Amino acid sequence: MAEPRLAVRRKSCAGSARKRSRAPVQPSAVCSPVAHKRLSSGDGPPAESSCSNDSEEDMFGDYDSFCGNDSLLAQVDDIEHKYLQDEKLAVKASGEIVPGDLQPGIPQKKQVSFSVPENMVVLKADKEDAFQVSETDAVGNSQEQTDSILDELPSSQLLYFEKMDELSSASRMSPASEGWNKCMNSSSEKIRSASSFCCDAECRNRATDSSLDFKSDLFKTESLKDHLKSAMTGNAKAQTLQVSKTKQLQEAVLSEEICVARKTIESSSVDIGPFYGLPSKVKDLFRQFRGIEMLYEWQHDCLMLESLQQRRNLIYSLPTSGGKTLVAEIIILQELLCRQKDVLMILPYVAIVEEKVRGLSSFGIELGFLVEEYAGSKGRFPPIKRRKKKSLYIATIEKGHALVNSLIETERIDDLGLVVVDELHMLGEGSRGATLEMTLAKILYASKNTQIIGMSATLNNVGDLQKFLQAEYYTNNFRPVELKEYIKIRDTIYAVDSKTENGFTFSRLLNFKYSSNLEKADPDHIIALVTEVIPKYSCLIFCPTKKNCENVASMVCKYLKKEFRAHREKEKQDLIKNLKYIGNGSVCPVLKQTIPFGIAYHHSGLTNDERKSIEEAYSAGVLCLLACTATLAAGVNLPARRVILRAPYVANDFLKKHQYKQMIGRAGRAGIDSAGESILIVQEKDKHLVQDLINSPLENCYSNLLLELTKGMQTLLLSVVGLKIAVTYEEVNNFMCSTLLSVQKQLLSKERSLSEIIKDGLEKLIEKGLLKGRISEKDNNSKCTLTITPLGKATYKGSIDLAYCNLLYRELKKGLEGLILESNLHLLYLTTPYDTTSNCSPDWMIYLRQFNQLSGAEQKVADIVGVPESFITKKASGQAIRKNVDSAVVNRLYLSFVLYALLKETNIWSVSEKFNMSRGYVQNLLNSAASFASCVLRFCEELEEFWVYKALLTELTKQLTYCVKTELIPLMEVAGVLEARAKQLYNAGYKTLAHLANADPETLVKMIEHLSRRQAKQIVSSAKMLLSEKAEALQGEVEELLKVPTDIPETY
């Protein structure tokens, strides 16, 4: 006789009186059935999703405790006796079990069931099916039925069944019993493999109590009541886990959804799972960390593009503040979690890299991937090959290029599944654009499996970029907040209207009474424009120069009413105290004057700590007006209700369309403002230029490989040969077809073809001693192999500008003859960037004073590099100099004095005063020196003769990167922790990375002044990420050490 069909059903917990109330799970807008449980084979209704339970005490999760309802077991017992009283089991000699007829008097169509409280397993016997079936059918049905049943059971129940099965292994079993056994094993395997988070730990911790007295004969008649009791008691006696059952189930669900999403994405199905192919937890994290409840319609459309489903390259363009980054982040998470590949995200500036590392570290902690920072002097080349977790590399343009080079060299480029480029229009901006083009060209040529996503708000010649990147294009004009553009001429404001002939229409006259004195001080009516919005709303004023920013901030607060001081007065006083703490007692007099009115300036003349404090105060609404330069428009996200452009100039250059678009794009804050406004102040003489600006299209994006020869074409040719991407002239020509320059051949002069430019470039590299080989004059398609020299390899791996590589080599070689190590002055000279000397104008009296304060050994450094004391003395006294001394060397030594003072005093304020330099200039010099020192270190690592520099430069690079006392360095390694914050944390008792990683954000907020809850959470997340990164690397080293070699000699 065949067994009756079984169905397992879980009812929703809405009607259960004994269950705690639970928040309903909201389905995703794009929720897909792929993550739903399979339906059972019975005739009962489909299985409903189980309710969540946040209690650690509820051992059975969604299953009721049998101890909580005695009537339930009595009810089960009664029903069993009622319906199974005539049941007979005929056991054959071979051990086969033939169940007797169940309730023969009951009609065939009638189903037998009994009601039980919610969430209990319900058994149904369907009498419709015939009992007489073949033995083979019984086995097949048993397998299918039990597979469906067990999919619904908790892991503890399956492990219990498995234990029973092991204890009964001595018994002889029929094929049907073996089918049941196989099903048990396969189902328990499913449970084990369902969660990558806890499968091993769960099996180890859930050791079954050996004292349980199971029956060795599974087929002995046993009441259903006893069977249920036995099963539940086994679960109850299982070893108590350290984490809640609910947490385990949530992690199991997360893992299952990742697996489903991964399979779905690999099959390029339209049905993409709970949240765009990602676990539903990702949607919860966006809500928790970003406050994002739902996506914009364009974001949904973009994510559903067929090109993305088929992993084709994509360029997408929307106005600033349209939400481009969120789409990129979802695509990044798909790659990390579903396809299990590493991702590179390239951003234009160090500040944006740091901001993004802070923002995504919390996602990495929750979802189990690593976030690695590649900016300034940070980053490993090649990156550590992680054992299990995947990495998200967040890099500047230069570091991204070096990272891709290292991955190609180590044959790991295919590990990189996705490259995301923000501000793709940077391709057209000088040497940085050339570097970005080289990076993308190498990826396109070396890896056919790496997807490229580019995004920008300001793209015009998209067709060229599509050909270059072999990409699809998506665009939309969506803006979450309407932007209204105006220009102001004298006291009249005009609305920008492209439909009119001249592009403007009259809007209104300014309604603000100016005295004669105020008219002289503020001829552009800036005060009238800002007082219409501040202090209730925020405002940005973009100024052409840094000095203009400070003057505008001072002028505005001078004529504001006293009432402005009362707005958030205490918080503004706290900000001044914080800036004073940052400056070791010093505060910029302009900021001291303007901050009480809620006004500050923002430009590169600020130190990193000052800039961060001002940005945080503006974001919190403590400051309502910032006078800033154009760099803020391309930097961190600081939106405003109104944006004012002080003049249509950036320094002395007339404004470009993409710069204008970026600036006005800061107007309007999503979720706060109903509209954003931009006002461009125009003088009568510039009116026609501004009309052209407003009506003109965005500038085209052109390749810079030819314009930046040593940082462009020659660098590309050197690295292509060094990486063995192309090693003959013919192969190099083929590679160049994958560049943007190849697409834009109209940039080439008629006299010279691309192949001729390549040939000239290779010959110059051979002349410099960076390449070896020969290019035949007669046959341009020569098969002669090109090879890179050690100097050439050191140059491209160190990212050294080809204009300086030979000079650097000579200076390092000369240093070996007499390196002064009494202090680090000589090393500082060698690591002072060459490109900073052109902007340096030494104060000769300061130069002489600093030289005289050096020890005798340190003064020898000046002689060694070629700056004699007599030269400095004569310059300081104004005497004529007959002997020629290289001005670049003189300036470089002066800047090395600045760096030397910085490392000794670790105080930017005092050093800037000592050398009569702006503190921002000193800060930028320090940042550049740290980055260049890391490049020189990699340069020396490739040349065996410079082995002595390796240890010396490793330590020096760390000192330049942080420029603080040694005890603060571990804290400053955390993204977003600068010197002032590190001091606060250290003084509060957080002295190590482990202290920060295990800190409670709420406690941090209480103990650390001027620290918001959001900042505290980001600091803790970043510290956890860094700690996880280091632990992962060490575990990898341990595994490598303990790995048994495969080539151990054997004795015969």
Side-chain angles (χ1 to χ4, degrees):
M1 301 292 287
E3 292 181 328
R5 259 194 289 175
L6 301 177
V8 179
R9 176 179 61 176
R10 291 184 200 169
K11 295 184 181 179
S12 66
C13 53
S16 176
R18 296 189 296 110
K19 286 287 182 184
R20 288 177 290 278
S21 62
R22 294 160 184 165
V25 178
Q26 296 295 330
S28 167
V30 291
C31 190
S32 160
V34 296
H36 293 173
K37 296 261 186 199
R38 271 185 325 198
L39 298 178
S40 67
S41 59
D43 295 332
E48 299 177 14
S49 53
S50 58
C51 303
S52 62
N53 189 340
D54 295 331
S55 171
E56 293 190 9
E57 299 173 356
D58 188 353
M59 296 177 60
F60 296 103
D62 290 307
Y63 294 85
D64 290 340
S65 167
F66 73 91
C67 296
N69 191 347
D70 291 333
S71 62
L72 167 64
L73 292 177
Q75 188 178 4
V76 170
D77 204 25
D78 290 343
I79 292 170
E80 183 185 23
H81 284 298
K82 178 180 178 182
Y83 289 108
L84 302 182
Q85 58 185 346
D86 295 329
E87 180 182 340
K88 297 176 182 178
L89 291 176
V91 182
K92 294 184 179 180
S94 61
E96 291 178 10
I97 300 175
V98 182
D101 290 347
L102 295 178
Q103 292 297 308
I106 298 177
Q108 291 280 329
K109 295 285 183 184
K110 186 175 179 180
Q111 291 185 340
V112 179
S113 64
F114 48 86
S115 62
V116 294
E118 311 260 353
N119 281 346
M120 277 301 297
V121 177
V122 181
L123 303 179
K124 288 191 175 184
D126 189 348
K127 297 289 291 184
E128 182 178 343
D129 297 318
F131 287 137
Q132 298 294 334
V133 293
S134 68
E135 185 176 272
T136 307
D137 290 339
V139 173
N141 289 340
S142 173
Q143 179 85 13
E144 184 178 339
Q145 292 159 3
T146 52
D147 189 271
S148 177
I149 294 167
L150 294 168
D151 273 351
E152 297 291 328
L153 294 178
S155 54
S156 58
Q157 191 82 350
L158 288 169
L159 292 173
Y160 166 73
F161 283 140
E162 185 181 21
K163 180 67 178 177
M164 291 176 66
D165 187 54
E166 288 172 4
L167 292 173
S168 64
S169 60
S171 303
R172 294 181 63 192
M173 292 185 292
S174 68
S177 302
E178 289 174 358
W180 173 267
N181 183 30
K182 287 177 185 176
C183 186
M184 288 294 179
N185 291 336
S186 65
S187 299
S188 60
E189 285 299 320
K190 285 183 185 179
I191 293 298
R192 287 197 192 90
S193 61
S195 172
S196 60
F197 295 98
C198 59
C199 59
D200 292 331
E202 184 174 344
C203 291
R204 284 195 298 270
N205 292 336
R206 202 173 285 193
T208 308
D209 194 328
S210 60
S211 64
L212 290 174
D213 184 21
F214 297 118
K215 300 294 183 182
S216 61
D217 185 2
L218 285 173
F219 306 100
K220 183 176 179 179
T221 305
E222 182 178 354
S223 72
L224 179 60
K225 173 182 174 181
D226 290 341
H227 187 75
L228 287 174
K229 267 193 175 182
S230 178
M232 292 178 177
T233 304
N235 290 340
K237 287 189 176 181
Q239 182 176 330
T240 305
L241 298 174
Q242 297 302 310
V243 293
S244 70
K245 175 72 177 179
T246 302
K247 186 172 182 181
Q248 292 175 46
L249 291 173
Q250 287 171 345
E251 288 175 343
V253 168
L254 173 63
S255 178
E256 183 181 343
E257 288 181 351
I258 289 176
C259 293
V260 170
R262 190 183 304 156
K263 289 176 184 174
T264 307
I265 285 185
E266 284 171 357
S267 64
S268 300
S269 172
V270 179
D271 188 0
I272 57 172
F275 183 67
Y276 300 102
L278 290 165
S280 52
K281 182 176 181 179
V282 174
K283 185 178 181 182
D284 297 335
L285 292 177
F286 276 116
R287 185 185 295 114
Q288 179 185 341
F289 296 142
R290 305 280 180 80
I292 297 171
E293 293 291 337
M294 59 185 296
L295 273 62
Y296 297 128
E297 185 179 349
W298 84 262
Q299 292 172 327
H300 171 75
D301 293 343
C302 186
L303 287 166
M304 298 299 291
L305 288 173
E306 186 180 351
S307 55
L308 281 183
Q309 305 303 315
Q310 297 180 2
R311 285 185 53 73
R312 295 201 295 269
N313 296 344
L314 177 70
I315 299 169
Y316 63 99
S317 176
L318 279 96
T320 304
S321 303
K324 296 184 296 296
T325 306
L326 178 60
V327 170
E329 288 174 351
I330 291 174
I331 297 170
I332 286 169
L333 292 176
Q334 288 174 346
E335 196 69 30
L336 290 165
L337 301 180
C338 303
R339 298 189 183 95
Q340 291 290 296
K341 291 281 190 177
D342 296 328
V343 177
L344 169 61
M345 187 178 198
I346 298 177
L347 302 170
Y349 303 110
V350 174
I352 307 177
V353 169
E354 292 172 346
E355 183 182 42
K356 189 58 65 180
V357 169
R358 290 196 301 272
L360 289 177
S361 288
S362 48
F363 284 85
I365 294 297
E366 292 292 332
L367 298 171
F369 62 87
L370 299 173
V371 179
E372 301 185 40
E373 180 180 347
Y374 280 77
S377 62
K378 294 182 179 179
R380 298 194 193 193
F381 302 97
I384 297 172
K385 190 171 179 64
R386 304 297 180 178
R387 300 174 312 123
K388 296 177 181 177
K389 294 184 178 180
K390 295 303 169 185
S391 291
L392 168 58
Y393 310 114
I394 304 181
T396 56
I397 291 171
E398 294 76 15
K399 289 292 181 179
H401 182 225
L403 179 66
V404 167
N405 282 346
S406 68
L407 290 173
I408 293 173
E409 184 182 29
T410 54
E411 299 182 349
R412 289 168 50 195
I413 190 65
D414 284 333
D415 291 346
L416 197 63
L418 174 68
V419 175
V420 174
V421 182
D422 195 9
E423 310 295 355
L424 188 63
H425 63 269
M426 292 286 290
L427 276 167
E429 298 191 10
S431 61
R432 305 195 78 213
T435 303
L436 182 56
E437 182 179 346
M438 289 187 276
T439 306
L440 296 174
K442 287 173 186 173
I443 293 168
L444 287 166
Y445 192 84
S447 175
K448 303 304 177 188
N449 300 319
T450 304
Q451 185 183 17
I452 297 175
I453 305 289
M455 53 181 169
S456 174
T458 54
L459 288 177
N460 190 32
N461 57 329
V462 179
D464 287 352
L465 301 182
Q466 280 185 267
K467 288 179 185 175
F468 168 44
L469 296 177
Q470 302 156 33
E472 303 286 328
Y473 180 58
Y474 176 87
T475 186
N476 197 302
N477 291 322
F478 172 81
R479 245 187 147 266
V481 177
E482 182 189 2
L483 173 61
K484 298 176 181 177
E485 295 179 50
Y486 301 97
I487 66 165
K488 186 190 84 68
I489 303 174
R490 296 194 182 93
D491 61 349
T492 307
I493 295 190
Y494 299 89
V496 174
D497 188 353
S498 57
K499 296 177 184 177
T500 59
E501 186 176 346
N502 63 359
F504 312 137
T505 56
F506 173 81
S507 177
R508 64 187 175 94
L509 290 171
L510 277 177
N511 183 22
F512 191 89
K513 293 181 181 179
Y514 269 73
S515 64
S516 57
N517 288 337
L518 184 55
E519 188 72 42
K520 290 176 184 177
D522 182 25
D524 294 324
H525 309 104
I526 292 174
I527 293 173
L529 294 174
V530 300
T531 51
E532 288 178 347
V533 288
I534 66 169
K536 186 177 180 181
Y537 302 106
S538 57
C539 182
L540 294 175
I541 304 177
F542 285 102
C543 303
T545 65
K546 290 185 282 188
K547 189 63 180 173
N548 194 225
C549 291
E550 297 177 28
N551 291 341
V552 166
S554 297
M555 183 272 294
V556 170
C557 74
K558 193 179 294 183
Y559 291 97
L560 285 180
K561 295 179 181 178
K562 300 285 186 183
E563 288 79 12
F564 282 88
R565 297 178 68 100
H567 180 73
R568 303 183 73 162
E569 185 174 8
K570 183 183 182 304
E571 289 156 285
K572 289 185 284 195
Q573 290 303 319
D574 287 342
L575 176 59
I576 293 174
K577 287 179 186 176
N578 190 37
L579 291 172
K580 191 172 183 180
Y581 176 75
I582 288 169
N584 289 327
S586 302
V587 182
C588 170
V590 176
L591 291 175
K592 194 173 183 178
Q593 174 197 3
T594 61
I595 286 176
F597 291 90
I599 301 169
Y601 64 85
H602 184 289
H603 57 58
S604 60
L606 296 168
T607 66
N608 290 344
D609 280 300
E610 286 177 315
R611 192 180 304 122
K612 188 172 176 61
S613 294
I614 287 171
E615 287 169 359
E616 288 171 354
Y618 178 82
S619 296
V622 177
L623 297 177
C624 56
L625 173 64
L626 289 185
C628 52
T629 52
T631 52
L632 185 140
V636 293
N637 187 23
L638 296 176
R641 173 65 173 266
R642 175 175 288 180
V643 169
I644 299 170
L645 280 68
R646 171 74 176 74
Y649 291 90
V650 174
N652 296 321
D653 300 323
F654 194 79
L655 199 62
K656 294 179 181 177
K657 184 62 177 274
H658 78 270
Q659 292 172 324
Y660 171 74
K661 284 291 186 183
Q662 280 190 323
M663 290 180 193
I664 67 172
R666 295 299 183 194
R669 298 165 299 172
I672 300 174
D673 298 326
S674 56
E677 301 171 335
S678 71
I679 301 174
L680 172 57
I681 298 174
V682 181
Q683 305 302 322
E684 195 68 45
K685 64 182 178 67
D686 294 325
K687 183 176 178 180
H688 294 295
L689 290 173
V690 170
Q691 283 179 334
D692 293 340
L693 172 73
I694 297 296
N695 296 319
S696 66
L698 288 161
E699 294 83 13
N700 286 335
C701 184
Y702 293 119
S703 170
N704 279 271
L705 287 180
L706 291 182
L707 297 177
E708 301 286 339
L709 277 177
T710 59
K711 290 185 177 180
M713 178 63 80
Q714 290 182 21
T715 297
L716 176 58
L717 295 175
L718 178 66
S719 61
V720 163
V721 174
L723 293 168
K724 299 179 181 176
I725 293 173
V727 294
T728 66
Y729 176 77
E730 185 179 5
E731 289 174 353
V732 172
N733 264 310
N734 290 338
F735 169 81
M736 290 302 295
C737 293
S738 64
T739 62
L740 178 60
L741 178 62
S742 175
V743 174
Q744 298 174 331
K745 288 183 179 176
Q746 72 272 17
L747 298 177
L748 303 173
S749 62
K750 294 179 181 178
E751 293 78 21
R752 300 178 73 204
S753 66
L754 181 58
S755 60
E756 289 174 326
I757 292 170
I758 294 169
K759 179 171 171 284
D760 288 348
L762 291 172
E763 286 176 344
K764 285 178 181 175
L765 292 172
I766 292 170
E767 284 174 19
K768 289 181 178 180
L770 303 175
L771 289 181
K772 287 191 296 186
R774 183 176 53 81
I775 300 172
S776 172
E777 291 287 342
K778 296 178 182 178
D779 183 10
N780 284 345
N781 291 322
S782 169
K783 298 293 183 182
C784 177
T785 301
L786 297 164
T787 57
I788 195 164
T789 64
L791 177 59
K793 188 175 183 181
T795 300
Y796 92 77
K797 291 192 76 171
S799 303
I800 305 295
D801 188 343
L802 269 61
Y804 305 118
C805 62
N806 291 100
L807 177 58
L808 176 63
Y809 178 81
R810 289 196 300 271
E811 289 186 332
L812 290 169
K813 188 78 172 173
K814 189 177 180 181
L816 291 178
E817 298 170 8
L819 191 62
I820 306 296
L821 293 177
E822 183 180 286
S823 69
N824 53 19
L825 178 61
H826 199 167
L827 285 172
L828 283 169
Y829 174 80
L830 295 173
T831 55
T832 300
Y834 292 102
D835 54 6
T836 57
T837 59
S838 57
N839 299 325
C840 175
S841 300
D843 184 314
W844 294 106
M845 290 304 296
I846 294 174
Y847 207 146
L848 181 60
R849 190 185 310 129
Q850 292 300 314
F851 180 85
N852 289 333
Q853 290 175 3
L854 299 175
S855 67
E858 289 170 338
Q859 288 181 354
K860 287 181 184 177
V861 174
D863 280 329
I864 291 171
V865 301
V867 184
E869 181 181 0
S870 58
F871 174 82
I872 301 172
T873 305
K874 287 179 180 179
K875 274 288 190 181
S877 60
Q879 297 178 34
I881 306 293
R882 293 181 183 178
K883 184 179 178 182
N884 283 333
V885 177
D886 189 345
S887 61
V889 174
V890 173
N891 291 355
R892 197 161 173 238
L893 182 63
Y894 186 67
L895 293 176
S896 64
F897 284 176
V898 177
L899 293 170
Y900 183 52
L902 261 177
L903 292 189
K904 283 202 299 185
E905 300 180 28
T906 68
N907 186 337
I908 289 176
W909 273 87
S910 62
V911 172
S912 63
E913 289 172 6
K914 186 180 289 184
F915 286 87
N916 195 26
M917 294 175 168
S918 76
R919 61 196 185 282
Y921 180 87
V922 175
Q923 176 76 75
N924 292 334
L925 172 64
L926 180 63
N927 294 342
S928 299
S931 183
F932 186 63
S934 69
C935 293
V936 175
L937 172 59
R938 295 205 306 278
F939 180 88
C940 292
E941 285 173 343
E942 295 302 318
L943 296 168
E944 197 173 323
E945 59 194 300
F946 293 150
W947 63 270
V948 71
Y949 286 114
K950 295 177 188 176
L952 297 171
L953 290 176
T954 300
E955 188 57 35
L956 182 67
T957 301
K958 187 179 284 189
Q959 289 179 30
L960 287 168
T961 300
Y962 301 111
C963 193
V964 292
K965 293 178 181 178
T966 309
E967 62 265 20
L968 297 181
I969 289 178
L971 299 178
M972 289 190 65
E973 288 179 342
V974 178
V977 176
L978 300 178
E979 182 181 2
R981 187 73 77 210
K983 286 180 181 176
Q984 287 179 312
L985 292 166
Y986 189 86
N987 293 335
Y990 298 95
K991 300 185 177 183
T992 66
L993 182 60
H995 282 147
L996 267 188
N998 293 284
D1000 175 23
E1002 296 299 326
T1003 306
L1004 280 179
V1005 170
K1006 293 174 184 175
M1007 296 182 68
I1008 308 298
E1009 289 186 34
H1010 319 299
L1011 182 69
S1012 70
R1013 187 168 283 99
R1014 176 174 165 272
Q1015 293 161 358
K1017 288 178 179 178
Q1018 284 189 341
I1019 286 174
V1020 172
S1021 292
S1022 297
K1024 283 180 178 176
M1025 177 55 67
L1026 188 57
L1027 196 63
S1028 173
E1029 224 177 276
K1030 292 188 174 186
E1032 183 83 8
L1034 290 173
Q1035 286 166 357
E1037 287 182 29
V1038 170
E1039 286 191 4
E1040 195 64 33
L1041 282 171
L1042 298 177
K1043 188 185 292 182
V1044 179
T1046 56
D1047 56 350
I1048 299 175
E1050 295 182 8
T1051 56
Y1052 295 97

